[in-house]
Amino acid sequence: MLSALDRFHSVIPAGGVGSRLWPLSRAAAPKFLHDVTGSGVTLLRGTWERLVPLSGVERTLVVTGRAHEAEVREQLPELRCDNIVLESEGRESTAAIGLAAAILVRRDPDAIVGSFAADHLIGSDERFLAAVREAVAVADTGQIVTIGIQPYEPATGFGYIRAGAPLVIAGAPSARAVDAFVEKPSLARARRYLASGEYLWNAGMFIARADRLLEEIAANRPELARGLGEIADAWTTDARDEVCARVWPGLEKIAIDYTVAEPAAKRGVLAVIPGYFQWDDVGDFASVSRLRQAEAEAGTDVVVSGDASRVVSVDARGLVITGGGRVVAVAGLDDVVVVDTPDALLVTTRAKAQEVKQIVEELRAQGLVDVL
């Protein structure tokens, strides 16, 4: 049998709208397709380049919407035709990751899969890859594995993982059992979690043998598992389009945390590898501003993403994202966030960045879906 790493396949779910990054991120151009941090690389491309050293081009698979196929292929010209899975509509992470696992296990019954979101930012590739290698070693024993991020602040926007006893597994010296998943806490509770040293942020990274992942889905959502199996059975046949059109829209929309991770934790078959690297889900413009903070510390009060020659600021601090072609002038404002696009303009503050999602909901309620 090949080594565990030689059987490892990376799965990149590239879905979701990222509504808190509106009007930059939209249904037709979600955040993973953007260079939101000004690095010169989109989030999707960065994820691809991070994973290919482990799984190679031949074992790196992307799950995305049909509407994004052309842009994904343009950004990832190395992506093999048989390694892109197109969704007619979003059905949440269990369906996306589960279908990828079902397709891969039919190619290789001993496949190990790792799921890593297309729209997250990782600060240290070497530390990340070391954590994934440990996770693959643990997954090869039959456990479901997640990578938890060592928290550096009492964040209330993430779920938490309570790490338990160390595990003795060759190739995974930092592996620990998972005692529990915890929903997003209050600030006071998050402070207690941070002080205890027992909790990690849930970054939504899951690694498992493909057959074990499918067993967990089947045990907890048998109807969903049957649908995924039916599609996977038809995947390399002429019946694929008909089966997908009939089965996919009826699959339950539910996150993999609820169908795999939490049940596995309760049964004592979930492990965690602590990740000692910078991680950000780039969930809102406060995240973007924080990630660009180095530029601000270098003496730039207003950090600009886009055409800086079109931005004028006087006694102002914050973030400006250009793209509408207009001159953007900011005067006398602290912590401002301005996002200018051809058909929509957002003005908020970093402190209120989470409320952008409510703006999106209000636009939808008013029927202004052309800008969503």
Side-chain angles (χ1 to χ4, degrees):
M1 181 185 292
L2 295 173
S3 71
L5 278 174
D6 288 332
R7 291 180 280 117
F8 175 67
H9 299 252
S10 295
V11 176
I12 305 175
V17 175
S19 57
R20 290 185 180 89
L21 287 176
W22 180 90
L24 182 66
S25 180
R26 311 191 188 197
K31 68 174 180 174
F32 64 84
L33 295 174
H34 294 276
D35 171 18
V36 300
T37 64
S39 67
V41 177
T42 68
L43 292 173
L44 172 63
R45 182 70 203 182
T47 303
W48 172 272
E49 292 179 355
R50 188 178 309 121
L51 291 167
V52 163
L54 272 185
S55 51
V57 169
E58 67 281 0
R59 288 181 283 115
T60 303
L61 186 147
V62 176
V63 184
T64 193
R66 284 204 181 108
H68 308 132
E69 179 184 7
E71 185 68 21
V72 167
R73 289 190 183 279
E74 182 177 340
Q75 291 193 17
L76 307 178
E78 311 96 318
L79 178 62
R80 288 177 23 163
C81 291
D82 59 345
N83 278 350
I84 185 168
V85 176
L86 299 174
E87 303 173 314
S88 57
E89 59 183 278
R91 305 307 298 171
E92 264 285 2
S93 57
T94 300
I97 299 167
L99 178 56
I103 291 169
L104 290 172
V105 81
R106 284 159 174 76
R107 295 182 189 174
D108 175 8
D110 298 314
I112 296 172
V113 298
S115 171
F116 308 93
D119 55 3
H120 292 182
L121 193 72
I122 302 294
S124 171
D125 284 0
E126 281 308 310
R127 290 186 179 185
F128 166 77
L129 294 177
V132 175
R133 290 186 186 101
E134 286 198 48
V136 171
V138 178
D140 201 30
T141 70
Q143 295 205 58
I144 310 296
V145 193
T146 186
I147 296 175
I149 307 302
Q150 186 70 32
Y152 55 83
E153 63 180 6
T156 58
F158 305 135
Y160 283 71
I161 300 165
R162 190 172 74 222
L167 299 174
V168 181
I169 296 174
S174 63
R176 299 175 68 177
V178 171
D179 283 348
F181 272 80
V182 183
E183 294 296 327
K184 297 175 182 178
S186 64
L187 180 58
R189 183 163 290 183
R191 285 173 174 156
R192 291 198 297 272
Y193 291 168
L194 186 65
S196 74
E198 297 176 353
Y199 290 83
L200 302 163
W201 287 335
N202 175 17
M205 304 179 194
F206 297 103
I207 301 92
R209 283 199 334 242
D211 59 347
R212 282 287 296 115
L213 187 72
L214 295 169
E215 284 175 8
E216 291 291 332
I217 296 173
N220 298 295
R221 290 296 192 279
E223 281 287 319
L224 178 52
R226 278 193 289 273
L228 294 173
E230 186 174 357
I231 295 172
D233 284 340
W235 196 254
T236 58
T237 74
D238 293 338
R240 178 204 290 188
D241 290 345
E242 181 276 320
V243 173
C244 285
R246 174 170 49 82
V247 177
W248 183 261
L251 297 180
E252 182 181 7
K253 294 179 70 172
I254 186 169
I256 200 165
D257 301 65
Y258 305 122
T259 57
V260 174
E262 290 186 5
K266 289 177 181 176
R267 294 197 299 107
V269 293
L270 183 70
V272 63
I273 304 296
Y276 298 96
F277 48 81
Q278 180 193 11
W279 167 84
D280 202 299
D281 70 346
V282 200
D284 57 29
F285 288 111
S287 294
V288 176
S289 182
R290 182 174 62 251
L291 292 165
R292 303 292 299 270
Q293 194 61 36
E295 295 174 55
E297 291 172 355
T300 305
D301 289 334
V302 172
V303 177
V304 179
S305 181
D307 186 358
S309 69
R310 308 291 288 177
V311 178
V312 178
S313 64
V314 177
D315 189 26
R317 280 160 291 279
L319 172 72
V320 174
I321 297 178
T322 63
R326 292 170 289 203
V327 170
V328 177
V330 186
L333 296 174
D334 287 330
D335 201 34
V336 70
V337 173
V338 178
V339 184
D340 185 36
T341 69
D343 61 352
L345 172 68
L346 171 71
V347 181
T348 185
T349 64
R350 186 168 61 178
K352 297 293 185 180
Q354 288 280 316
E355 296 182 16
V356 173
K357 186 174 183 178
Q358 294 173 237
I359 291 176
V360 171
E361 292 169 355
E362 183 63 24
L363 288 168
R364 185 172 287 109
Q366 292 185 24
L368 299 173
V369 294
D370 59 305
V371 295
L372 301 181

